[in-house]
Amino acid sequence: MKAIEITHQQELNIIETEKPQAPGRDEVLLRLCYVGFCGSDLNTFMGRNTMALNPVIPGHEVGAVIEAVGDGVPEGLKAGMVVTCNPYTNCGKCASCRNQRVNACQHNETLGVQRNGAMQEYIVLPWEKVIPAGLLTPKVCALVEPMSVGFHAVSRAQVTDIDVVLVIGCGMVGMGAIVRSALRGATVIAADIDDDKLALAREMGASYTVNTKTEDVHQRLLEMTSGFGPDVVIEAVGSTPTYQMAVDEVAFTGRVVCIGYAKAEVSFQTKYFVQKELDIRGSRNAMPQDFRAVIHYLERLHAGERSSEMGGTSPTDRLITRVIKPHEALDTMRWWSQNPGKVFRILVEF
């Protein structure tokens, strides 16, 4: 069977690997339909992802169909079902697992990063990691995992309907945070350097937008929040300026949630930590309930519901920048590396 493998910096090949045999006990064999390239895959391709295997088969954003199930798999999982997957492992023994926060397992190995991923025609997974996708198509399923990461950040921030939430970065993860914040009734401000992404953020539930490249961010935020600043800031970029912006702009006694990995050390005015009495929290991966929440949202969306409680609409076709075949992956990744700000998701169709 065909698989995509990142071998060295800016090198990617189509390889032939052995198709998995019938699934073993407690396992499910998936036929991959669509798999998304994400920012971590781009960093692996660019040689900047220090956590990734080398070489590695990338991919952890999955839209698939169950091909076969092994003994011991619950009856709720059957051949022919459309599914996505939870791509993280958890050891069950570390402090995170002991505290039931398995998404932050100290020894996590994510598909396509610390272990070979889903950019191949078939894959076998433990049944516990296979998530039925209800009425969603395999293509839409490939959007579930990145959106769930944004949903989880909103849970970490404990967002409610009285909050003003600033989401910095309107990529797929940031869009998930915008949607979930709007679903909870919060007033959402979306910040990015790309006006097209900001326009889409409004469609997905943002009440206000600010272009951090062309506008006075501090002044605009004061205008939008009656001089208080946002109650919550979710950092979904991973850069020194955006980390600093989060701490500088959040309201006194506010909450800052960090999703992005900064590529360099970040210096802060630490007096703000104390003077503002901030809650600064990390947010890693997603919990099973975050996956379920995203699927529920997308099901309602594609059922045509547009109630006010949804906080806007999510035009999933516009979240997919390109759909490519495996043989187009190398040229596409080279193009993406030169145009990093113009991509939501690139899906590989198997």
Side-chain angles (χ1 to χ4, degrees):
M1 67 174 184
K2 288 183 173 62
I4 294 173
E5 184 178 66
I6 297 174
T7 53
H8 299 286
Q9 183 174 337
Q10 298 199 41
E11 290 187 16
L12 179 154
N13 295 309
I14 308 301
I15 62 173
E16 289 289 334
T17 64
E18 187 174 350
K19 179 184 174 181
Q21 301 302 310
R25 183 171 184 82
D26 296 327
E27 291 182 336
V28 177
L29 174 63
L30 302 183
R31 175 172 57 83
L32 281 306
C33 301
Y34 295 90
V35 183
F37 271 123
C38 79
S40 65
D41 298 321
L42 178 62
N43 283 328
T44 300
F45 179 73
M46 297 296 292
R48 299 192 297 241
N49 190 346
T50 58
M51 295 185 293
L53 295 176
N54 185 19
V56 67
I57 296 172
H60 56 262
E61 302 173 357
V62 169
V65 173
I66 295 178
E67 185 81 359
V69 298
D71 292 338
V73 174
E75 293 185 1
L77 295 174
K78 299 180 183 296
M81 289 181 66
V82 175
V83 296
T84 188
C85 77
N86 182 329
Y88 325 120
T89 63
N90 52 284
C91 70
K93 300 177 182 178
C94 70
S96 300
C97 291
R98 182 179 62 184
N99 291 327
Q100 303 301 310
R101 289 164 66 176
V102 295
N103 59 296
C105 175
Q106 182 178 350
H107 307 291
N108 167 64
E109 293 183 350
T110 299
L111 281 175
V113 185
Q114 295 95 342
R115 57 187 171 128
N116 281 328
M119 286 277 180
Q120 49 191 315
E121 294 180 275
Y122 294 89
I123 193 171
V124 171
L125 294 175
W127 72 262
E128 296 93 339
K129 298 299 182 181
V130 177
I131 304 172
L135 301 175
L136 300 185
T137 65
K139 182 187 286 188
V140 175
C141 280
L143 305 178
V144 170
E145 191 275 342
M147 289 192 76
S148 73
V149 175
F151 271 46
H152 182 67
V154 173
S155 295
R156 290 285 291 143
Q158 298 175 297
V159 170
T160 73
D161 58 343
I162 64 171
D163 288 319
V164 176
V165 179
L166 169 65
V167 178
I168 306 175
C170 294
M172 275 296 301
V173 171
M175 289 296 185
I178 289 167
V179 168
R180 188 57 161 167
S181 296
L183 286 169
R184 291 192 175 197
T187 300
V188 184
I189 304 169
D192 201 278
I193 62 173
D194 187 282
D195 286 331
D196 291 336
K197 289 184 176 180
L198 291 173
L200 185 55
R202 278 189 176 272
E203 293 184 38
M204 297 186 73
S207 298
Y208 304 98
T209 59
V210 56
N211 187 313
T212 59
K213 188 176 183 179
T214 62
E215 298 181 78
D216 184 330
V217 175
H218 179 69
Q219 186 60 39
R220 289 277 285 126
L221 291 177
L222 290 179
E223 293 169 0
M224 296 171 188
T225 62
S226 301
F228 291 105
D231 304 288
V232 174
V233 178
I234 296 176
E235 198 287 332
V237 176
S239 72
T240 297
T242 53
Y243 262 76
Q244 292 169 334
M245 182 190 303
V247 172
D248 291 348
E249 300 300 341
V250 71
F252 273 64
T253 67
R255 288 100 73 197
V256 175
V257 174
C258 304
I259 311 174
Y261 282 94
K263 309 304 184 294
E265 291 186 1
V266 183
S267 297
F268 291 103
Q269 289 287 346
T270 55
K271 66 179 182 180
Y272 291 151
F273 296 9
V274 178
Q275 288 180 350
K276 292 185 176 184
E277 198 175 53
L278 298 181
D279 290 330
I280 301 177
R281 305 170 184 178
S283 182
R284 184 182 181 192
N285 299 331
M287 293 284 281
Q289 57 265 35
D290 300 310
F291 284 87
R292 293 198 303 271
V294 172
I295 291 170
H296 180 59
Y297 165 71
L298 292 173
E299 279 188 316
R300 287 190 296 159
L301 180 70
H302 285 269
E305 294 182 20
R306 295 294 186 269
S307 64
S308 60
E309 67 183 19
M310 290 179 63
T313 63
S314 171
T316 52
D317 56 337
R318 289 179 60 192
L319 294 175
I320 300 170
T321 306
R322 289 187 180 184
V323 178
I324 64 171
K325 297 292 187 179
H327 70 271
E328 301 173 293
L330 177 58
D331 287 342
T332 301
M333 292 299 278
R334 287 173 173 168
W335 169 81
W336 188 11
S337 68
Q338 297 170 5
N339 300 274
K342 294 298 182 182
V343 170
F344 282 111
R345 271 304 174 269
I346 294 168
L347 303 187
V348 179
E349 182 180 5
F350 285 91

